[in-house]
Amino acid sequence: MDSAVNPSGCSDTRLWLHRIQCAAFGLGISAFTFYLYTHDPVTTPLMPICAFHYLTGWYCPGCGGLRAVYHLMHGDWQTALRYNPFIFMLLPFIGWWYSRMVLELFFGWRIKKIFLKPVFIYGFVGLFCLFWMIRNFPGLSLE
Amino acid sequence: MYCTNCGAANDANDETCRQCGRELPDVSALEKSGITVAVDIPNYLFQAVLVSFCCCIPFGIPAIVYAAQVNGAIERGDLAAAERNSKRDECWCWIAFGTGIIVSIFQVFLQTWVELTSLSD
């Protein structure tokens, strides 16, 4: 590709650096997703654990995320929802961000960034903390 | 804002570039005349959310809050503050990422140790 389609306006060296970062991130995520697809987090000993849960015994907002993605990939969205409803909000966001990055870096598209007003971001943090608290009440936890 | 000539970072209210001395465009005057100036100050929101969930929640939250402050500062037109918060945001993302990596390495050692001790019993 030539520099005429450089969307970020930065130098070609930086563009290639961003492309390599983008590809490495994609490969890493794909490899881990494949590992997760073939290994049930409940029965596999070598799975990332939550340090917060390990130390305190409480659930954090991300706890159950891997189990949820595992069940989602096997088509069982009800179980996935029970393990972690929060990732359902997160996955479209990750998908959008990554597709936008690939289209800009490799295909020279120019996509307008969505400007999030601070109130939405603070709202997200509030929701995050609220979820953190309510999921630790007895009867509302994942197991 | 960044100098269009040499790329050095300047305060939003600077009239000339601190590094090369060239005159900087007057952002507020441009905005008054109806031209919106494109600002590209990264807020690292995606990275902040990602490290919160995948690496370390206690350090991910300040990263998300700083991302909100970057956007707040851009909205107010205070580009110097946006720039400052952007740097802090990036820093918190790295702290959260680093903590996540250290915890993961520790976990692999711990699990190997547990496996080995259970084998010898």
Side-chain angles (χ1 to χ4, degrees):
Chain A
M1 273 195 202
D2 56 54
S3 56
V5 290
N6 185 337
S8 48
C10 56
S11 71
D12 276 4
T13 331
R14 276 188 74 94
L15 178 69
W16 275 103
L17 196 73
H18 287 161
R19 279 182 182 163
I20 292 166
Q21 279 176 344
C22 175
F25 180 78
L27 278 176
I29 290 285
S30 312
F32 187 74
T33 309
F34 181 72
Y35 177 73
L36 187 62
Y37 183 76
T38 48
H39 295 73
D40 186 349
V42 178
T43 51
T44 314
L46 205 66
M47 251 316 151
I49 51 155
C50 177
F52 179 76
H53 181 68
Y54 182 78
L55 292 173
T56 64
W58 288 327
Y59 295 110
C60 83
C63 282
L66 289 180
R67 280 163 283 176
V69 174
Y70 173 83
H71 284 288
L72 197 63
M73 282 193 293
H74 290 84
D76 188 359
W77 63 269
Q78 281 108 330
T79 314
L81 204 64
R82 218 180 55 235
Y83 272 127
N84 195 325
F86 221 72
I87 58 142
F88 283 83
M89 202 170 95
L90 222 60
L91 289 175
F93 182 55
I94 294 176
W96 154 252
W97 180 84
Y98 193 70
S99 345
R100 183 179 155 273
M101 196 162 85
V102 169
L103 289 173
E104 283 205 336
L105 290 176
F106 292 94
F107 298 96
W109 288 34
R110 282 159 174 273
I111 302 163
K112 202 175 180 303
K113 275 186 184 161
I114 298 173
F115 184 82
L116 275 177
K117 283 189 177 292
V119 61
F120 290 113
I121 306 176
Y122 287 127
F124 176 80
V125 175
L127 213 64
F128 193 83
C129 294
L130 194 72
F131 180 58
W132 197 343
M133 282 187 283
I134 59 165
R135 78 180 316 189
N136 282 297
F137 279 102
L140 293 170
S141 61
L142 36 153
E143 263 108 11
Chain B
M1 70 174 303
Y2 292 107
C3 175
T4 47
N5 183 43
C6 68
N10 292 282
D11 271 350
N13 49 4
D14 283 347
E15 284 174 0
T16 52
C17 176
R18 289 172 179 188
Q19 189 167 293
C20 68
R22 182 169 292 202
E23 206 171 302
L24 295 169
D26 189 348
V27 177
S28 55
L30 285 172
E31 274 169 354
K32 270 176 209 142
S33 61
I35 301 162
T36 47
V37 181
V39 276
D40 199 15
I41 298 169
N43 64 15
Y44 304 105
L45 181 62
F46 176 79
Q47 287 89 333
V49 171
L50 207 66
V51 292
S52 300
F53 272 90
C54 304
C55 303
C56 182
I57 289 193
F59 295 143
I61 288 189
I64 301 178
V65 170
Y66 274 122
Q69 292 196 356
V70 172
N71 279 12
I74 291 175
E75 223 175 22
R76 287 197 310 274
D78 189 352
L79 299 187
E83 200 71 48
R84 240 185 355 259
N85 288 325
S86 177
K87 291 227 170 66
R88 287 185 192 140
D89 188 9
E90 193 187 4
C91 186
W92 278 110
C93 285
W94 280 114
I95 292 173
F97 183 69
T99 316
I101 296 288
I102 292 166
V103 168
S104 308
I105 293 170
F106 175 73
Q107 186 216 340
V108 169
F109 276 112
L110 193 80
Q111 267 174 355
T112 319
W113 184 70
V114 168
E115 294 283 314
L116 288 176
T117 46
S118 66
L119 281 176
S120 64
D121 278 345

